[in-house]
Amino acid sequence: MFLRKTLVAIFGFGLISSLALVQPARASQDILIGGGSVTGVYYQVALHVCNLLNKYNSESYNCVGRPALGSVFNIRAVERGLLDIGVAQSDRNFEAVNGLGEFSGKPQDNLRSLFSMHPETILLVARKDSGISNVSELKGKFINIGNPGSGQRGNAEDVLRLHGLNSDGDIKAEGLQQQEASRALVDKKIDAFFYTVGNPAAAIEEPANSTEISIIPLNSDVIQNFVNERSYYVMTTIPAGTYTGVDNDVETYAVTATVVTNAGASEDMIYDLVKTIFSNLEELQKAHKAFRVLTPESMLNGLTAPFHPGALRYYKEQGWK
Ligand code: GLU
C-alpha cells in the first residue's frame, strides 16, 4: 500500500480511482508498466503490452501502462518495486547491470530482461531559424538535454562531451520532460533538444508540423569511433520524409528499447505476458509504426540484464534459447 501511495504521489494521477474503474469483478493481479513522455514511444509500449495482456488474460491480469520519466527512472523504479515492468534504453540497461554511468558503483543486481522492442535514434532537433547545423553550434544556445531520469540525458551528455562541450557552462541546458520540450522549441524558449526515441514519434511530429525544424546529423568521426567501441550502439539513417520538412536523410546512431522487470516478479505472470506478446506479435506490430520491424529474433537481441526465469521458460519452450 505504501508503494502504491508513493507511486500516486510521484505520478500525480488518480491512479487508484482509475484502477477502481477498470477493475474486473473477479480478483486479478495488478501490473503496472512505466513508459516515458506521453508524446514518446515508450508510453505506447506500456499501453499496448498491457492491452494485449488484458485482452487475452482478462480474468488473470489487470495491467495498466502509465507515462513515466524514462529509462533511468524506470530501471530504478523496477528495482525498488514501484513499477512491475519498465521500458529502458539498451545502453542504460547495460550501465545498470554493470554499475556504470548514472548507476556508477550501484549495479542493479535484480534487473531482469523480458525482450527488446523498437530501435531508438539519438536525435538532435533544432528550430531552423536557430541557425544550428552541427553540434559545435550549440555553444551558448538554450538546449534541452532531457529530464533527470530520462535515457536521452546521458546521450546528450555524451554527444556534447565528444565535441568538447560541457552541459554545465558551454550551453544553456534545460531539463524539461519531452512533451514540454517540444512545445518550448516551437515557442522559441529553447533552440534545440536532444531526444532518444523510436520513429516516427509524436514528440517530433508536433513541432515539425508547427514550425520549421532540422534534425542535425550525429555522424562525426568522434561519434563513429564512440559507436564502434560499444556493442549497444549502431550507426543508422532516418529516411528523408519521416518528419514534415525534413527532406534529407539524417545519419545518427541508435540504441534499442528494452523491457525489464525485477528478479522477484512472479514467474507465471512474466511467462504469461511474454507468451501473450509473442503469440500476438502481429497485433503489436500494427499498434505503432515503430513496432513494424519487430521479429522474435530482434526481440531477443540487445539485452544485457539476464532473462527473467518466466521469459526464459517461454523461450526454451520455443527452442529459441
Ligand atoms: N528513450 C527515452 C528515455 O529513455 C524515452 C523515449 C520514449 O518515451 O519513447 O527516457
Side-chain angles (χ1 to χ4, degrees):
M1 195 57 207
F2 171 72
L3 287 182
R4 295 286 160 184
K5 269 191 188 155
T6 314
L7 194 64
V8 171
I10 288 173
F11 289 117
F13 290 117
L15 182 65
I16 293 200
S17 55
S18 66
L19 280 182
L21 283 178
V22 293
Q23 193 82 35
R26 191 190 288 237
S28 61
Q29 187 180 343
D30 289 333
I31 299 165
L32 190 59
I33 305 189
S37 149
V38 283
T39 55
V41 183
Y42 282 13
Y43 180 45
Q44 300 297 318
V45 174
L47 285 180
H48 291 292
V49 167
C50 278
N51 282 349
L52 287 174
L53 188 67
N54 292 337
K55 180 172 167 186
Y56 293 105
N57 308 267
S58 60
E59 291 182 357
S60 309
Y61 302 111
N62 176 41
C63 185
V64 179
R66 302 300 307 185
L69 300 181
S71 293
V72 174
F73 172 88
N74 290 347
I75 289 173
R76 292 205 174 114
V78 158
E79 177 84 8
R80 291 176 192 164
L82 292 169
L83 290 172
D84 299 299
I85 292 170
V87 192
Q89 291 175 202
S90 50
D91 49 354
R92 302 291 93 89
N93 185 329
F94 178 91
E95 289 175 345
V97 171
N98 293 295
L100 302 168
E102 294 190 56
F103 304 94
S104 178
K106 293 186 196 107
Q108 308 284 296
D109 297 330
N110 292 322
L111 195 66
R112 294 293 178 271
S113 296
L114 301 192
F115 44 78
S116 286
M117 286 289 299
H118 55 284
E120 302 186 83
T121 48
I122 320 299
L123 296 179
L124 173 55
V125 178
R127 227 184 28 262
K128 245 186 197 156
D129 68 10
S130 70
I132 297 167
S133 62
N134 61 44
V135 178
S136 309
E137 289 168 359
L138 297 178
K139 203 163 184 181
K141 299 269 177 28
F142 286 93
I143 312 297
N144 195 58
I145 60 169
N147 60 284
S150 71
Q152 62 265 19
R153 201 171 164 99
N155 302 125
E157 297 276 10
D158 287 341
V159 170
L160 292 167
R161 190 187 62 252
L162 288 168
H163 293 85
L165 296 176
N166 190 328
S167 64
D168 191 15
D170 292 329
I171 61 164
K172 292 178 180 123
E174 299 287 344
L176 303 173
Q177 286 186 50
Q178 189 51 44
Q179 68 270 23
E180 292 157 8
S182 300
R183 214 167 302 140
L185 187 79
V186 176
D187 294 347
K188 303 195 174 189
K189 291 185 179 139
I190 57 171
D191 300 301
F193 61 73
F194 283 94
Y195 194 27
T196 303
V197 71
N199 297 298
I204 319 295
E205 285 171 333
E206 284 173 3
N209 292 329
S210 311
T211 187
E212 284 192 84
I213 63 155
S214 33
I215 305 181
I216 313 302
L218 298 174
N219 60 351
S220 60
D221 289 348
V222 280
I223 287 185
Q224 298 203 19
N225 290 338
F226 179 74
V227 166
N228 289 339
E229 285 162 8
R230 287 162 179 79
S231 60
Y232 40 82
Y233 291 138
V234 290
M235 295 304 300
T236 189
T237 300
I238 302 162
T242 303
Y243 295 106
T244 307
V246 184
D247 300 325
N248 51 301
D249 287 352
V250 181
E251 209 188 347
T252 183
Y253 66 108
V255 290
T256 306
T258 70
V259 178
V260 295
T261 190
N262 189 298
S266 147
E267 185 177 327
D268 286 342
M269 181 273 279
I270 296 294
Y271 172 86
D272 287 344
L273 184 149
V274 168
K275 183 174 180 174
T276 302
I277 293 302
F278 284 92
S279 309
N280 300 285
L281 193 53
E282 258 182 52
E283 246 181 287
L284 185 64
Q285 286 164 341
K286 285 183 193 146
H288 190 280
K289 280 186 192 161
F291 304 160
R292 282 183 189 164
V293 295
L294 298 178
T295 63
E297 202 189 352
S298 75
M299 292 171 79
L300 266 61
N301 278 334
L303 298 156
T304 307
F307 282 115
H308 186 280
L312 204 53
R313 199 206 307 170
Y314 179 74
Y315 299 147
K316 282 191 172 151
E317 267 177 24
Q318 298 303 306
W320 295 343
K321 282 281 154 201

